[in-house]
Amino acid sequence: MIYTKNRYSDTLIHQLLTIGGEYPMILENRRYDICYVANYLRKSRAESMEDLEKHRMILTELCIKNGFKYVEYIEVGTSDSIDMRPKISKLLKEVEDGIYDAVCVVEYDRLGRGDLGEQDRIKKAFQKSETLIITPDKIYDLNNDIDDTYADLKGFFARQEYKMITKRLRQGKVVGARRGDWTNGIPAFPYVYQRYRDKYNEKGLVVNDERLPIYREMIEKALSGISTQKIAESLNQRGIFTRRGNYWSAITIYRLLVDETHLGQIISNKTRGSGHKHKRPNAKNYEAIPKSEWTIVENCHEAVKTKEEHDRIVAVLSSRKKIPTRSRKQSHVFTGLVKCAKCGHILTLHLVDGNAYVRPCWYTDPLGNKCKNSGILSDALEEIVLKEISKYQSEIINSSEPVDSQQSDRIKVEISELENLLQKYKKALETVNDAYELGDYNREEWQTRKRKWQKLIGQTENELYEMGKIYQSDRSVTDEERKQNLIIFLKNIRTMTDHVQRNDLYKTVIESIVYLREGNTIDVKIDFK
C-alpha cells in the first residue's frame, strides 16, 4: 500500500504545534511503500483487558483495510521504563534491524511515556532504520523534520500526563493507607480483598476461613521453635500449597510470620526510591525508612495473631539468624547452642568414630589472630550442662524472689550500647551540618556525609526496634513457665534418642552454652531463657 504526504506552510505548522491538534494526511512528493508491520499494544495502568482487546481490534482492522502483513506485540504492564517492558525492548531491537516497514499503535505515546532519554532511544531506533509509526489518524516519519517536531510535542504532553497520573496514584495510596484502606496489592495469606462469603470490609481485608487454620499452624510451629524450612516441607508433603498452587518455601513462610499486616494493621511509608534491577537512570536509590517514621494504622481488619505471638516469633527467628546456616540442620544435640567464650562465635560439631565432638574454635580476627579455644567430647560437655541445669532448677524452685532471665539482662546491655551508638551518630550528623554552615564542606561533600550518617542512624534505630521486641517477648515468659519448661526438660532429656528432638528440647530452656577450655581447665556458663 502506498501513502504520500505534502508539506505544510510555516503558518499552518505554527498553528498546529501551538494547539497540539492532529492534522490530516496531505500528499507530498515522497512515497512510503508499507507491507510488513508490527502491531504494538500495551495496557496502561488505568485500563482493563477489555480496553486492550478494543485497541487490538482497531489495529487489526487498520492492517486488513490497508493490506498490511502484521505481527502482534502485546504488553501488559504499567512501567514507563523500556528495560522493564520486555515486549517493547524486543520490538525496538527488531526495528533497529530493519525488520518492519512500520509499527502500528493506537496512539503515539503507547510506545513510551518515559523521560527524554527513553523517548530519544525510541526515536533513534526508528530514525536509524527509517521505520514509520502509524496510528489510525496519522503516519509519523521521524526523519521528516515536521513529524519529528510533532512527535517531540506529543511525547512532552504524554510525559507530563504520566507524571501527573503517577503523582495522584502515590498521593491516593498514601491517603488511602492512612484511612485504613488496603492499597498494597495482593493481600497476604490468609486474607482476601473486601469480601469472603458473608464477611465484607469495604476497601479492606477479610480473613479466608479455609486458609486460616493453615496460617495458625505456621504460627504454632514457629512458636515451638520449628524452622521455616521444616514448616514449608510439612505443608508441601501433605499437599497443602500456596494460593497459586505452588510449593511453599522457607522465605515465603518467613515473610508471612513477620508480616505485621496479620496484627490487623496497615503500614505505609516503609521505603522510598526504587530497588528494581532495571530502574530508571533518574530514579532515587532504594532506602529503608526507620520504623519510627512508618505510618501505622491500627484495627483496620481482623487480626490473626496476637502482638505477643508476633514478638516471640521475631525473637525466635532473630536468634536463628545468629546461628551459621550449616548449624541449623540440627545434626547433633548441641547444634547451634555452643558459643565460644573468647570470640562469641558459634562452635560446630563433627563425628569421629561415631562420637560427636565440639570442634576447636579457629576464628581469625581481621588482624589474623586465631581464637584457638580447644574442643571437647559432646557427651562430656552434656554432663556439665545437665548439672548446671539441675542447679538452676533448684535455685528457681527454692527461691521466693522472681528470677530474671539472663537473656533479658544481656539484651538490656545490647540495647544500652545501641542507644549510646545512636547518640554518637546523631552528634556526628549535627557536626556535619554545622561544618557545612561554616563553609568547611561544599554542597556535594555535605550531602555525601549527611547521607552516610542518616543511613547509620536509620539502621541503628531499626536494630533498637527489633531488640526492643525481643526484650519484651523475653520478659513475657513468667517464672512459672520457666519452672514447667525445666520439669519437662529434665523428665525427657535422658530418655530421648533422636538428636533433632533433643536439640529442640535443649532450646526450650537455654539460649546458649558459653564454653571455654584452656588445657584441662573447662569453664561452662549457660544463658538460660
Side-chain angles (χ1 to χ4, degrees):
M1 182 62 63
I2 308 297
Y3 281 91
T4 58
K5 297 187 289 185
N6 251 340
R7 294 188 180 277
Y8 289 89
S9 68
D10 291 341
T11 304
L12 180 57
I13 293 170
H14 176 74
Q15 291 174 350
L16 288 168
L17 293 178
T18 302
I19 64 175
E22 298 284 357
Y23 56 89
M25 285 182 277
I26 300 177
L27 297 177
E28 183 197 319
N29 294 330
R30 193 170 174 189
R31 291 174 174 269
Y32 300 103
D33 188 3
I34 303 171
C35 183
Y36 301 101
V37 303
N39 289 354
Y40 178 72
L41 298 119
R42 177 173 64 85
K43 187 184 85 66
S44 66
R45 182 182 276 108
E47 293 173 337
S48 66
M49 294 303 293
E50 291 182 4
D51 294 318
L52 188 68
E53 192 59 35
K54 289 177 184 177
H55 294 166
R56 183 182 186 185
M57 187 183 301
I58 291 171
L59 295 185
T60 301
E61 289 178 354
L62 176 67
C63 291
I64 293 173
K65 180 180 178 181
N66 293 285
F68 298 155
K69 296 178 181 179
Y70 65 93
V71 175
E72 286 186 342
Y73 290 79
I74 300 176
E75 192 127 52
V76 179
T78 57
S79 175
D80 63 331
S81 172
I82 291 174
D83 290 329
M84 294 168 68
R85 290 159 51 199
K87 295 295 184 181
I88 190 66
S89 298
K90 180 182 178 183
L91 177 58
L92 287 180
K93 177 67 171 58
E94 294 181 348
V95 166
E96 289 174 344
D97 293 339
I99 292 177
Y100 303 109
D101 300 320
V103 173
C104 299
V105 286
V106 289
E107 295 175 5
Y108 177 83
D109 62 11
R110 290 286 151 168
L111 290 170
R113 295 188 293 185
D115 56 23
L116 291 177
E118 297 272 316
Q119 293 186 30
D120 187 57
R121 180 176 167 185
I122 292 171
K123 283 178 57 178
K124 283 181 177 178
F126 282 89
Q127 288 171 338
K128 179 182 177 181
S129 61
E130 297 186 345
T131 304
L132 304 175
I133 299 172
I134 300 176
T135 71
D137 303 310
K138 174 176 171 52
I139 295 178
Y140 293 85
D141 177 2
L142 298 185
N143 286 310
N144 179 290
D145 290 341
I146 297 173
D147 287 353
D148 184 38
T149 304
Y150 189 61
D152 286 342
L153 188 63
K154 292 280 286 185
F156 171 77
F157 285 118
R159 180 61 182 168
Q160 293 304 110
E161 181 186 14
Y162 179 81
K163 290 170 71 175
M164 183 60 66
I165 290 171
T166 53
K167 181 179 179 180
R168 287 172 179 167
L169 283 170
R170 285 196 300 268
Q171 290 174 338
K173 186 173 181 178
V174 171
V175 172
R178 289 180 177 174
R179 283 203 310 254
D181 297 341
W182 180 253
T183 60
N184 294 335
I186 298 174
F189 187 95
Y191 290 107
V192 294
Y193 183 63
Q194 281 194 331
R195 184 182 296 279
Y196 177 76
R197 294 182 179 173
D198 59 340
K199 293 190 290 187
Y200 179 73
N201 182 5
E202 185 179 4
K203 296 184 179 180
L205 303 183
V206 293
V207 177
N208 181 319
D209 295 332
E210 293 178 2
R211 298 174 185 167
L212 181 59
I214 301 171
Y215 178 75
R216 286 304 308 172
E217 180 182 336
M218 297 177 191
I219 294 292
E220 298 299 331
K221 287 187 174 181
L223 289 171
S224 65
I226 298 175
S227 70
T228 54
Q229 181 62 40
K230 293 292 185 184
I231 296 173
E233 289 173 359
S234 174
L235 293 172
N236 294 335
Q237 288 166 2
R238 287 149 50 203
I240 301 172
F241 303 123
T242 67
R243 176 174 41 208
R244 294 180 178 177
N246 299 323
Y247 285 116
W248 293 97
S249 67
I251 188 62
T252 302
I253 300 292
Y254 175 86
R255 287 171 178 167
L256 287 176
L257 291 173
V258 300
D259 193 339
E260 293 177 89
T261 303
H262 298 92
L263 295 171
Q265 303 173 342
I266 289 181
I267 303 176
S268 58
N269 197 42
K270 296 173 69 173
T271 63
R272 63 170 67 94
S274 173
H276 200 282
K277 182 180 179 180
H278 300 295
K279 64 183 177 184
R280 299 187 304 275
N282 61 341
K284 294 181 180 179
N285 290 330
Y286 177 84
E287 181 183 357
I289 298 174
K291 288 185 173 70
S292 58
E293 298 178 24
W294 290 2
T295 300
I296 302 175
V297 185
E298 303 282 357
N299 199 30
C300 298
H301 46 262
E302 181 184 351
V304 290
K305 66 179 174 184
T306 66
K307 187 69 167 58
E308 292 73 20
E309 287 175 333
H310 176 78
D311 290 344
R312 285 176 62 192
I313 287 171
V314 169
V316 169
L317 296 177
S318 297
S319 66
R320 287 184 64 84
K321 283 183 180 179
K322 299 176 183 178
I323 301 172
T325 304
R326 290 179 63 184
S327 295
R328 295 180 199 162
K329 295 181 180 179
Q330 297 177 286
S331 303
H332 308 291
V333 175
F334 287 139
T335 296
L337 288 173
V338 186
K339 185 185 295 185
C340 178
K342 288 186 175 182
C343 65
H345 283 75
I346 298 294
L347 301 181
T348 59
L349 291 94
H350 66 137
L351 287 174
V352 178
D353 297 329
N355 295 316
Y357 285 84
V358 176
R359 292 178 182 271
C361 183
W362 289 98
Y363 170 72
T364 303
D365 67 16
L367 299 177
N369 300 314
K370 291 185 177 179
C371 181
K372 293 186 178 180
N373 190 2
S374 301
I376 187 174
L377 184 66
S378 178
D379 289 345
L381 179 60
E382 185 169 18
E383 289 303 319
I384 298 172
V385 169
L386 289 173
K387 288 179 182 178
E388 291 296 318
I389 293 175
S390 297
K391 180 180 175 183
Y392 178 70
Q393 185 201 28
S394 300
E395 290 175 356
I396 289 181
I397 292 174
N398 296 329
S399 174
S400 58
E401 298 295 324
V403 180
D404 290 333
S405 167
Q406 296 177 22
Q407 168 77 349
S408 296
D409 294 338
R410 187 173 66 256
I411 293 173
K412 284 171 66 177
V413 172
E414 291 184 27
I415 289 175
S416 178
E417 291 174 351
L418 284 171
E419 288 174 341
N420 292 334
L421 193 61
L422 180 62
Q423 292 305 314
K424 289 181 181 179
Y425 290 158
K426 287 182 175 180
K427 188 174 181 181
L429 179 59
E430 290 177 6
T431 302
V432 168
N433 290 335
D434 291 341
Y436 174 64
E437 291 179 2
L438 293 171
D440 294 338
Y441 299 135
N442 60 37
R443 183 171 180 81
E444 185 177 351
E445 291 174 327
W446 168 64
Q447 287 181 330
T448 301
R449 293 173 182 267
K450 183 179 74 169
R451 282 195 294 267
K452 169 191 170 183
W453 292 114
Q454 285 177 334
K455 183 178 180 181
L456 288 171
I457 288 170
Q459 290 174 345
T460 308
E461 287 179 340
N462 288 345
E463 287 184 45
L464 271 170
Y465 180 83
E466 295 296 340
M467 293 302 295
K469 281 185 176 181
I470 296 172
Y471 177 71
Q472 291 300 325
S473 173
D474 189 75
R475 295 286 291 177
S476 66
V477 180
T478 65
D479 291 334
E480 187 58 36
E481 288 175 325
R482 291 192 180 98
K483 290 176 183 178
Q484 290 301 317
N485 288 340
L486 285 167
I487 291 170
I488 294 171
F489 171 83
L490 292 171
K491 180 180 178 181
N492 295 287
I493 193 62
R494 297 277 188 184
T495 58
M496 278 187 179
T497 57
D498 183 80
H499 289 320
V500 173
Q501 292 179 351
R502 298 186 79 221
N503 183 258
D504 286 336
L505 192 57
Y506 267 107
K507 288 177 179 177
T508 63
V509 295
I510 65 176
E511 187 68 31
S512 62
I513 301 164
V514 183
Y515 164 80
L516 175 64
R517 180 172 183 177
E518 293 177 328
N520 294 323
T521 304
I522 299 172
D523 184 27
V524 174
K525 294 180 181 178
I526 299 178
D527 287 333
F528 290 95
K529 289 194 172 185

Short mmCIF file of all heavy atoms in Angstrom, two decimals, residues 53-96:
data_model
loop_
_atom_site.label_atom_id
_atom_site.label_comp_id
_atom_site.label_asym_id
_atom_site.label_seq_id
_atom_site.Cartn_x
_atom_site.Cartn_y
_atom_site.Cartn_z
N GLU A 53 -8.34 -5.30 24.28
CA GLU A 53 -8.96 -6.03 23.18
C GLU A 53 -9.55 -5.06 22.14
O GLU A 53 -9.50 -5.32 20.93
CB GLU A 53 -10.04 -6.96 23.72
CG GLU A 53 -10.54 -7.98 22.72
CD GLU A 53 -9.45 -8.89 22.19
OE1 GLU A 53 -8.52 -9.23 22.97
OE2 GLU A 53 -9.51 -9.26 21.00
N LYS A 54 -10.12 -3.94 22.60
CA LYS A 54 -10.65 -2.93 21.67
C LYS A 54 -9.52 -2.34 20.82
O LYS A 54 -9.67 -2.14 19.61
CB LYS A 54 -11.34 -1.81 22.46
CG LYS A 54 -12.65 -2.23 23.10
CD LYS A 54 -13.24 -1.08 23.91
CE LYS A 54 -14.51 -1.52 24.64
NZ LYS A 54 -15.03 -0.42 25.50
N HIS A 55 -8.39 -2.04 21.46
CA HIS A 55 -7.24 -1.50 20.74
C HIS A 55 -6.73 -2.51 19.72
O HIS A 55 -6.33 -2.15 18.60
CB HIS A 55 -6.13 -1.12 21.72
CG HIS A 55 -6.49 -0.01 22.63
ND1 HIS A 55 -5.76 0.30 23.76
CD2 HIS A 55 -7.53 0.87 22.60
CE1 HIS A 55 -6.31 1.33 24.37
NE2 HIS A 55 -7.39 1.68 23.69
N ARG A 56 -6.74 -3.77 20.10
CA ARG A 56 -6.30 -4.83 19.19
C ARG A 56 -7.20 -4.88 17.95
O ARG A 56 -6.73 -5.05 16.82
CB ARG A 56 -6.33 -6.17 19.93
CG ARG A 56 -5.82 -7.34 19.13
CD ARG A 56 -5.93 -8.62 19.92
NE ARG A 56 -5.32 -9.74 19.24
CZ ARG A 56 -5.36 -10.99 19.69
NH1 ARG A 56 -6.00 -11.26 20.83
NH2 ARG A 56 -4.78 -11.96 19.01
N MET A 57 -8.51 -4.72 18.17
CA MET A 57 -9.46 -4.75 17.06
C MET A 57 -9.20 -3.57 16.12
O MET A 57 -9.26 -3.72 14.89
CB MET A 57 -10.90 -4.68 17.61
CG MET A 57 -11.98 -4.86 16.57
SD MET A 57 -13.62 -4.68 17.30
CE MET A 57 -13.56 -5.98 18.54
N ILE A 58 -8.92 -2.40 16.68
CA ILE A 58 -8.67 -1.19 15.86
C ILE A 58 -7.46 -1.40 14.95
O ILE A 58 -7.51 -1.13 13.75
CB ILE A 58 -8.45 0.03 16.77
CG1 ILE A 58 -9.76 0.42 17.47
CG2 ILE A 58 -7.91 1.21 15.97
CD1 ILE A 58 -9.59 1.47 18.55
N LEU A 59 -6.37 -1.92 15.52
CA LEU A 59 -5.15 -2.12 14.74
C LEU A 59 -5.31 -3.24 13.72
O LEU A 59 -4.78 -3.16 12.61
CB LEU A 59 -3.96 -2.39 15.67
CG LEU A 59 -3.55 -1.26 16.61
CD1 LEU A 59 -2.28 -1.63 17.37
CD2 LEU A 59 -3.34 0.04 15.84
N THR A 60 -6.03 -4.28 14.10
CA THR A 60 -6.26 -5.39 13.17
C THR A 60 -7.05 -4.91 11.96
O THR A 60 -6.71 -5.23 10.80
CB THR A 60 -7.01 -6.54 13.88
OG1 THR A 60 -6.23 -6.99 14.98
CG2 THR A 60 -7.24 -7.70 12.92
N GLU A 61 -8.10 -4.12 12.19
CA GLU A 61 -8.90 -3.58 11.09
C GLU A 61 -8.08 -2.65 10.22
O GLU A 61 -8.24 -2.62 8.99
CB GLU A 61 -10.13 -2.85 11.65
CG GLU A 61 -11.17 -3.78 12.25
CD GLU A 61 -12.35 -3.03 12.84
OE1 GLU A 61 -12.29 -1.78 12.87
OE2 GLU A 61 -13.32 -3.68 13.27
N LEU A 62 -7.18 -1.87 10.85
CA LEU A 62 -6.30 -0.97 10.11
C LEU A 62 -5.41 -1.76 9.15
O LEU A 62 -5.23 -1.39 7.98
CB LEU A 62 -5.45 -0.16 11.08
CG LEU A 62 -4.40 0.78 10.47
CD1 LEU A 62 -5.08 1.92 9.71
CD2 LEU A 62 -3.49 1.34 11.54
N CYS A 63 -4.86 -2.88 9.64
CA CYS A 63 -3.97 -3.70 8.81
C CYS A 63 -4.73 -4.38 7.67
O CYS A 63 -4.26 -4.44 6.53
CB CYS A 63 -3.27 -4.74 9.68
SG CYS A 63 -2.07 -4.04 10.82
N ILE A 64 -5.92 -4.91 8.00
CA ILE A 64 -6.73 -5.60 6.98
C ILE A 64 -7.16 -4.63 5.89
O ILE A 64 -7.10 -4.93 4.68
CB ILE A 64 -7.95 -6.27 7.64
CG1 ILE A 64 -7.49 -7.42 8.55
CG2 ILE A 64 -8.91 -6.79 6.57
CD1 ILE A 64 -8.61 -8.01 9.37
N LYS A 65 -7.60 -3.45 6.30
CA LYS A 65 -8.07 -2.43 5.35
C LYS A 65 -6.99 -2.02 4.38
O LYS A 65 -7.25 -1.78 3.19
CB LYS A 65 -8.58 -1.22 6.13
CG LYS A 65 -9.10 -0.09 5.25
CD LYS A 65 -9.59 1.06 6.11
CE LYS A 65 -10.08 2.21 5.24
NZ LYS A 65 -10.54 3.35 6.07
N ASN A 66 -5.73 -1.97 4.86
CA ASN A 66 -4.64 -1.48 4.02
C ASN A 66 -3.75 -2.60 3.48
O ASN A 66 -2.73 -2.34 2.84
CB ASN A 66 -3.78 -0.49 4.82
CG ASN A 66 -4.53 0.78 5.15
OD1 ASN A 66 -4.73 1.63 4.29
ND2 ASN A 66 -4.97 0.90 6.40
N GLY A 67 -4.11 -3.84 3.77
CA GLY A 67 -3.37 -4.96 3.22
C GLY A 67 -2.00 -5.18 3.86
O GLY A 67 -1.10 -5.72 3.22
N PHE A 68 -1.83 -4.76 5.15
CA PHE A 68 -0.56 -4.97 5.83
C PHE A 68 -0.46 -6.40 6.35
O PHE A 68 -1.44 -6.96 6.85
CB PHE A 68 -0.42 -4.02 7.04
CG PHE A 68 -0.43 -2.56 6.69
CD1 PHE A 68 -0.83 -1.63 7.65
CD2 PHE A 68 -0.03 -2.11 5.44
CE1 PHE A 68 -0.84 -0.28 7.35
CE2 PHE A 68 -0.04 -0.75 5.14
CZ PHE A 68 -0.46 0.17 6.09
N LYS A 69 0.73 -6.99 6.25
CA LYS A 69 1.02 -8.24 6.94
C LYS A 69 1.59 -7.86 8.31
O LYS A 69 2.54 -7.07 8.37
CB LYS A 69 2.02 -9.06 6.15
CG LYS A 69 1.51 -9.52 4.79
CD LYS A 69 2.56 -10.30 4.03
CE LYS A 69 2.02 -10.72 2.65
NZ LYS A 69 3.05 -11.47 1.88
N TYR A 70 1.03 -8.41 9.38
CA TYR A 70 1.39 -7.90 10.70
C TYR A 70 1.74 -8.99 11.72
O TYR A 70 1.32 -10.14 11.60
CB TYR A 70 0.27 -7.02 11.27
CG TYR A 70 -1.01 -7.76 11.56
CD1 TYR A 70 -1.26 -8.28 12.83
CD2 TYR A 70 -1.98 -7.92 10.57
CE1 TYR A 70 -2.44 -8.96 13.10
CE2 TYR A 70 -3.16 -8.60 10.84
CZ TYR A 70 -3.39 -9.11 12.10
OH TYR A 70 -4.55 -9.78 12.38
N VAL A 71 2.53 -8.57 12.71
CA VAL A 71 2.88 -9.39 13.87
C VAL A 71 2.48 -8.60 15.10
O VAL A 71 2.68 -7.38 15.16
CB VAL A 71 4.40 -9.69 13.91
CG1 VAL A 71 4.75 -10.44 15.19
CG2 VAL A 71 4.82 -10.48 12.69
N GLU A 72 1.91 -9.28 16.11
CA GLU A 72 1.44 -8.58 17.31
C GLU A 72 2.45 -8.65 18.45
O GLU A 72 3.06 -9.70 18.68
CB GLU A 72 0.10 -9.17 17.79
CG GLU A 72 -1.07 -8.78 16.91
CD GLU A 72 -2.39 -9.26 17.51
OE1 GLU A 72 -2.36 -10.15 18.38
OE2 GLU A 72 -3.45 -8.74 17.09
N TYR A 73 2.57 -7.54 19.15
CA TYR A 73 3.34 -7.47 20.39
C TYR A 73 2.40 -6.93 21.46
O TYR A 73 2.00 -5.76 21.40
CB TYR A 73 4.54 -6.54 20.24
CG TYR A 73 5.63 -7.05 19.34
CD1 TYR A 73 5.51 -6.96 17.96
CD2 TYR A 73 6.78 -7.63 19.87
CE1 TYR A 73 6.50 -7.44 17.12
CE2 TYR A 73 7.78 -8.11 19.05
CZ TYR A 73 7.64 -8.01 17.67
OH TYR A 73 8.62 -8.48 16.85
N ILE A 74 2.02 -7.77 22.41
CA ILE A 74 1.06 -7.37 23.44
C ILE A 74 1.78 -7.29 24.78
O ILE A 74 2.40 -8.26 25.24
CB ILE A 74 -0.12 -8.35 23.53
CG1 ILE A 74 -0.84 -8.41 22.17
CG2 ILE A 74 -1.08 -7.95 24.64
CD1 ILE A 74 -1.96 -9.42 22.11
N GLU A 75 1.70 -6.13 25.44
CA GLU A 75 2.39 -5.90 26.70
C GLU A 75 1.38 -5.51 27.77
O GLU A 75 0.61 -4.57 27.58
CB GLU A 75 3.42 -4.78 26.55
CG GLU A 75 4.38 -4.67 27.70
CD GLU A 75 5.81 -4.70 27.21
OE1 GLU A 75 6.17 -3.94 26.32
OE2 GLU A 75 6.58 -5.51 27.76
N VAL A 76 1.38 -6.24 28.85
CA VAL A 76 0.52 -5.91 29.99
C VAL A 76 1.43 -5.47 31.11
O VAL A 76 2.05 -6.27 31.80
CB VAL A 76 -0.33 -7.12 30.44
CG1 VAL A 76 -1.20 -6.75 31.64
CG2 VAL A 76 -1.19 -7.62 29.29
N GLY A 77 1.56 -4.17 31.27
CA GLY A 77 2.46 -3.63 32.29
C GLY A 77 2.25 -2.14 32.41
O GLY A 77 1.64 -1.50 31.55
N THR A 78 2.76 -1.58 33.51
CA THR A 78 2.50 -0.17 33.77
C THR A 78 3.77 0.67 33.87
O THR A 78 3.69 1.85 34.10
CB THR A 78 1.74 -0.03 35.10
OG1 THR A 78 2.50 -0.64 36.15
CG2 THR A 78 0.39 -0.71 35.02
N SER A 79 4.92 0.09 33.68
CA SER A 79 6.15 0.84 33.85
C SER A 79 6.41 1.74 32.64
O SER A 79 6.10 1.40 31.51
CB SER A 79 7.33 -0.12 34.03
OG SER A 79 8.54 0.61 34.07
N ASP A 80 7.02 2.91 32.91
CA ASP A 80 7.40 3.79 31.81
C ASP A 80 8.80 3.48 31.30
O ASP A 80 9.24 4.02 30.30
CB ASP A 80 7.32 5.26 32.25
CG ASP A 80 8.31 5.57 33.36
OD1 ASP A 80 8.61 4.65 34.14
OD2 ASP A 80 8.76 6.72 33.46
N SER A 81 9.53 2.61 31.99
CA SER A 81 10.90 2.28 31.61
C SER A 81 10.91 1.18 30.55
O SER A 81 10.25 0.15 30.69
CB SER A 81 11.69 1.82 32.84
OG SER A 81 12.96 1.33 32.47
N ILE A 82 11.68 1.38 29.48
CA ILE A 82 11.77 0.41 28.40
C ILE A 82 12.35 -0.91 28.91
O ILE A 82 11.89 -1.99 28.55
CB ILE A 82 12.62 0.97 27.25
CG1 ILE A 82 11.87 2.11 26.56
CG2 ILE A 82 12.96 -0.12 26.23
CD1 ILE A 82 12.69 2.83 25.51
N ASP A 83 13.38 -0.84 29.76
CA ASP A 83 14.06 -2.04 30.24
C ASP A 83 13.14 -2.93 31.08
O ASP A 83 13.41 -4.11 31.26
CB ASP A 83 15.29 -1.66 31.05
CG ASP A 83 16.39 -1.08 30.18
OD1 ASP A 83 16.48 -1.49 29.01
OD2 ASP A 83 17.14 -0.21 30.65
N MET A 84 12.07 -2.35 31.63
CA MET A 84 11.13 -3.12 32.44
C MET A 84 9.92 -3.57 31.62
O MET A 84 8.96 -4.09 32.16
CB MET A 84 10.69 -2.29 33.65
CG MET A 84 11.83 -2.00 34.61
SD MET A 84 11.43 -0.77 35.85
CE MET A 84 10.21 -1.64 36.81
N ARG A 85 9.98 -3.36 30.28
CA ARG A 85 8.91 -3.79 29.39
C ARG A 85 9.54 -4.67 28.30
O ARG A 85 10.07 -4.16 27.30
CB ARG A 85 8.20 -2.58 28.77
CG ARG A 85 7.36 -1.80 29.77
CD ARG A 85 7.10 -0.38 29.31
NE ARG A 85 6.58 -0.33 27.96
CZ ARG A 85 6.63 0.77 27.19
NH1 ARG A 85 7.20 1.87 27.65
NH2 ARG A 85 6.16 0.74 25.97
N PRO A 86 9.55 -5.98 28.50
CA PRO A 86 10.28 -6.87 27.60
C PRO A 86 9.82 -6.82 26.15
O PRO A 86 10.62 -6.97 25.23
CB PRO A 86 10.05 -8.27 28.20
CG PRO A 86 8.87 -8.13 29.09
CD PRO A 86 8.90 -6.73 29.59
N LYS A 87 8.51 -6.62 25.91
CA LYS A 87 8.00 -6.62 24.54
C LYS A 87 8.50 -5.43 23.74
O LYS A 87 8.91 -5.56 22.58
CB LYS A 87 6.46 -6.64 24.55
CG LYS A 87 5.85 -7.90 25.13
CD LYS A 87 6.18 -9.11 24.27
CE LYS A 87 5.48 -10.36 24.80
NZ LYS A 87 5.79 -11.56 24.01
N ILE A 88 8.50 -4.24 24.34
CA ILE A 88 8.98 -3.07 23.61
C ILE A 88 10.49 -3.14 23.41
O ILE A 88 11.02 -2.69 22.39
CB ILE A 88 8.58 -1.75 24.34
CG1 ILE A 88 8.86 -0.53 23.45
CG2 ILE A 88 9.31 -1.60 25.65
CD1 ILE A 88 8.03 -0.45 22.21
N SER A 89 11.19 -3.75 24.37
CA SER A 89 12.64 -3.92 24.22
C SER A 89 12.94 -4.81 23.01
O SER A 89 13.83 -4.50 22.20
CB SER A 89 13.24 -4.55 25.48
OG SER A 89 13.04 -3.72 26.60
N LYS A 90 12.20 -5.90 22.89
CA LYS A 90 12.39 -6.81 21.76
C LYS A 90 12.00 -6.12 20.45
O LYS A 90 12.70 -6.24 19.43
CB LYS A 90 11.54 -8.07 21.96
CG LYS A 90 11.67 -9.08 20.83
CD LYS A 90 10.76 -10.29 21.07
CE LYS A 90 10.86 -11.28 19.90
NZ LYS A 90 9.95 -12.43 20.08
N LEU A 91 10.88 -5.38 20.46
CA LEU A 91 10.42 -4.70 19.25
C LEU A 91 11.43 -3.67 18.78
O LEU A 91 11.72 -3.58 17.57
CB LEU A 91 9.07 -4.03 19.53
CG LEU A 91 8.47 -3.21 18.37
CD1 LEU A 91 8.30 -4.08 17.13
CD2 LEU A 91 7.16 -2.58 18.79
N LEU A 92 11.99 -2.87 19.68
CA LEU A 92 12.97 -1.85 19.30
C LEU A 92 14.21 -2.48 18.68
O LEU A 92 14.80 -1.92 17.74
CB LEU A 92 13.35 -1.00 20.51
CG LEU A 92 12.29 -0.01 21.00
CD1 LEU A 92 12.81 0.77 22.21
CD2 LEU A 92 11.91 0.96 19.88
N LYS A 93 14.61 -3.65 19.23
CA LYS A 93 15.77 -4.34 18.64
C LYS A 93 15.47 -4.75 17.20
O LYS A 93 16.31 -4.59 16.30
CB LYS A 93 16.08 -5.58 19.49
CG LYS A 93 17.21 -6.45 18.96
CD LYS A 93 18.55 -5.73 19.03
CE LYS A 93 19.72 -6.64 18.72
NZ LYS A 93 19.67 -7.28 17.41
N GLU A 94 14.26 -5.25 16.93
CA GLU A 94 13.89 -5.67 15.59
C GLU A 94 13.67 -4.47 14.67
O GLU A 94 13.95 -4.54 13.47
CB GLU A 94 12.64 -6.54 15.65
CG GLU A 94 12.90 -7.87 16.37
CD GLU A 94 11.69 -8.78 16.42
OE1 GLU A 94 10.58 -8.30 16.11
OE2 GLU A 94 11.86 -9.96 16.79
N VAL A 95 13.20 -3.34 15.24
CA VAL A 95 13.08 -2.11 14.45
C VAL A 95 14.45 -1.64 14.00
O VAL A 95 14.66 -1.27 12.85
CB VAL A 95 12.35 -1.02 15.27
CG1 VAL A 95 12.52 0.35 14.61
CG2 VAL A 95 10.87 -1.35 15.41
N GLU A 96 15.43 -1.66 14.93
CA GLU A 96 16.79 -1.26 14.58
C GLU A 96 17.38 -2.15 13.49
O GLU A 96 18.19 -1.69 12.67
CB GLU A 96 17.68 -1.31 15.83
CG GLU A 96 17.36 -0.20 16.83
CD GLU A 96 18.15 -0.35 18.11
OE1 GLU A 96 18.70 -1.45 18.34
OE2 GLU A 96 18.25 0.63 18.87
#
